[in-house]
Amino acid sequence: MANVELRPVVHVDNEWRRWIAENLLLDGPPQGIYEQMLRAGIPHEEAVQELQQAIASPYIVGAQRLRNRLGKHDWVLDTQRRMNRLRDAEVPRHHKLSREAFFDGYYTAGRPVIITGMMEDWPAMTKWNFDYFKDRCGDREVEIQFGRDSDAQYELRKTAHRKTMLFGDYVDSVRHAGRSNDFYMTAYNEGKNSTELAELWEDIVQIPEYLSSDAATRGFLWFGPQGTITPFHHDLTNNFMAQVMGRKRILLMPACEIANVYNHEHCFTHVDGRQIDLQRYPRMQHVQVISCVLNPGEVLFLPVGCWHFVEGLEVSVTVSFTNFLWDNDFTGEYPQQQAF
């Protein structure tokens, strides 16, 4: 008689119970769950008993109610996604958009827009260049993000990439870098740089049509070589991106696309905007991705929750703002547990 290899007996533990509950809540058929348990070596009687207990459990019933609520939320988001597709898949441009038109058509509607003609009185538009930066603030010690090429999650772990250096040395690094994403002065560095580069803010004019001059924070400075990348993420506030030098390419995904963008932690996703891998992230094929180029003298409005990927097409300097005239504090209700 041929030897029969006996499969080792496996008993249901809490890991198995979590697996059973998750699959039931994902509408996995009980017969299919049962068959997988048998294939894993769980005895018939034990598999049937655990499944029956799980199906009858008031904990599962309660979790199903919560899942139903989430399903209703998803339905609302999906209707908004479908409505978005009725509009042109481009970011509109408007010259000197009035306060009322911006507020009604974009700020409260959560729609991106590029506004032109609002930076014509900025001294920065004519003064800012490499030599001016060195002459004005070259001896100041500033903070930058450095060593980004060695860490695929540089944005999520940006604290580990802080480096201080003289601003004049940083200017020379940018001047001679060519294309690089290894170093970048970002909004995250503003805590130190706002004081060290205070003179540069004399060349920036707050835009009174939309922004409050009473805010404690004047804005945030972004300065880096061609090729800098800010990966796909969303902010917890509405934002203005005001482009002073160079051009940037921005990919936008509406906030209501969140179910399909693989939001793994906090406000980030592993999806790479430089080349979206549909085999690895198949749900992205259903996402509305809108591309635009921001030119010097233009301001882009980024609504709260709007996913965006930013690439420097040239050496670029951007000033961003969050000090709008209207409510812009949405952090209070943000989830404390940020592993999604």
Side-chain angles (χ1 to χ4, degrees):
M1 179 180 294
N3 292 331
V4 177
E5 183 178 350
L6 298 177
R7 181 188 298 273
V9 175
V10 174
H11 294 288
V12 176
D13 57 13
N14 283 337
E15 283 300 317
W16 270 104
R17 293 185 181 100
R18 278 191 283 270
W19 179 85
I20 293 168
E22 181 178 1
N23 279 273
L24 287 173
L25 291 171
L26 292 173
D27 291 331
Q31 180 65 28
I33 298 172
Y34 161 77
E35 291 173 359
Q36 289 193 55
M37 294 171 73
L38 289 187
R39 285 195 291 270
I42 298 172
H44 161 77
E45 295 81 2
E46 188 174 352
V48 170
Q49 181 182 11
E50 289 289 342
L51 261 175
Q52 288 176 342
Q53 289 178 348
I55 292 171
S57 168
Y59 295 113
I60 295 293
V61 174
Q64 183 63 53
R65 288 291 299 274
L66 177 59
R67 181 175 178 269
N68 293 345
R69 293 175 197 164
L70 293 175
K72 181 63 174 290
H73 294 172
D74 289 344
W75 175 81
V76 173
L77 290 174
D78 192 56
T79 59
Q80 185 60 60
R81 292 176 63 239
R82 290 170 60 184
M83 294 294 287
N84 280 345
R85 283 163 171 73
L86 300 179
R87 291 197 295 262
D88 290 338
E90 63 179 26
V91 180
R93 274 181 166 82
H94 291 287
H95 187 66
K96 295 188 175 180
L97 193 64
S98 72
R99 178 182 298 177
E100 294 75 16
F102 171 67
F103 179 76
D104 291 336
Y106 299 97
Y107 195 85
T108 57
R111 294 178 57 198
V113 62
I114 294 174
I115 307 172
T116 62
M118 304 304 291
M119 298 168 60
E120 295 172 349
D121 58 345
W122 286 26
M125 294 302 299
T126 55
K127 290 183 176 181
W128 281 12
N129 56 47
F130 293 133
D131 293 336
Y132 180 81
F133 286 157
K134 291 189 67 173
D135 291 344
R136 197 79 190 269
C137 302
D139 60 345
R140 310 298 171 77
E141 188 175 71
V142 297
E143 182 180 282
I144 65 166
Q145 299 291 304
F146 188 80
R148 289 151 54 104
D149 285 344
S150 63
D151 183 359
Q153 297 301 312
Y154 57 83
E155 189 68 20
L156 191 61
R157 294 191 284 261
K158 52 183 172 284
T159 300
H161 293 279
R162 290 185 297 189
K163 177 182 178 179
T164 57
M165 61 190 302
L166 292 178
F167 186 52
D169 291 340
Y170 179 69
V171 171
D172 286 337
S173 296
V174 174
R175 189 199 302 258
H176 301 298
R179 186 176 184 85
S180 176
N181 186 41
D182 196 45
F183 54 91
Y184 196 13
M185 180 181 289
T186 76
Y188 183 72
N189 307 118
E190 194 63 24
K192 178 176 179 59
N193 296 346
S194 61
T195 300
E196 297 297 318
L197 303 179
E199 287 93 333
L200 295 184
W201 285 97
E202 297 172 5
D203 301 328
I204 298 297
V205 179
Q206 298 286 323
I207 307 175
E209 192 74 11
Y210 320 115
L211 301 176
S212 170
S213 59
D214 298 330
T217 301
R218 296 169 297 186
F220 307 93
L221 184 66
W222 307 71
F223 174 31
Q226 177 191 24
T228 52
I229 297 291
T230 302
F232 265 128
H233 70 288
H234 71 78
D235 297 321
L236 306 186
T237 60
N238 292 296
N239 280 270
F240 262 162
M241 284 178 58
Q243 196 65 14
V244 182
M245 294 171 54
R247 297 175 303 139
K248 282 184 170 176
R249 180 175 73 102
I250 301 109
L251 300 181
L252 304 170
M253 301 186 295
C256 57
E257 298 282 4
I258 190 169
N260 295 313
V261 301
Y262 300 86
N263 179 197
H264 68 289
E265 185 172 352
H266 189 20
C267 54
F268 298 99
T269 170
H270 287 310
V271 175
D272 189 344
R274 289 168 292 188
Q275 185 172 4
I276 298 176
D277 187 344
L278 296 180
Q279 289 190 326
R280 185 177 180 186
Y281 305 110
R283 293 203 304 272
M284 281 294 297
Q285 65 185 316
H286 305 298
V287 172
Q288 183 183 51
V289 181
I290 304 171
S291 177
C292 66
V293 172
L294 192 65
N295 302 302
E298 297 182 335
V299 181
L300 171 65
F301 172 62
L302 289 169
V304 58
C306 177
W307 295 83
H308 50 287
F309 165 93
V310 184
E311 177 183 13
L313 299 179
E314 295 136 5
V315 170
S316 67
V317 179
T318 308
V319 180
S320 59
F321 302 97
T322 60
N323 51 314
F324 288 94
L325 293 168
W326 312 282
D327 181 19
N328 197 26
D329 183 2
F330 305 103
T331 59
E333 301 300 324
Y334 191 72
Q336 295 300 306
Q337 301 296 324
Q338 296 174 7
F340 304 123

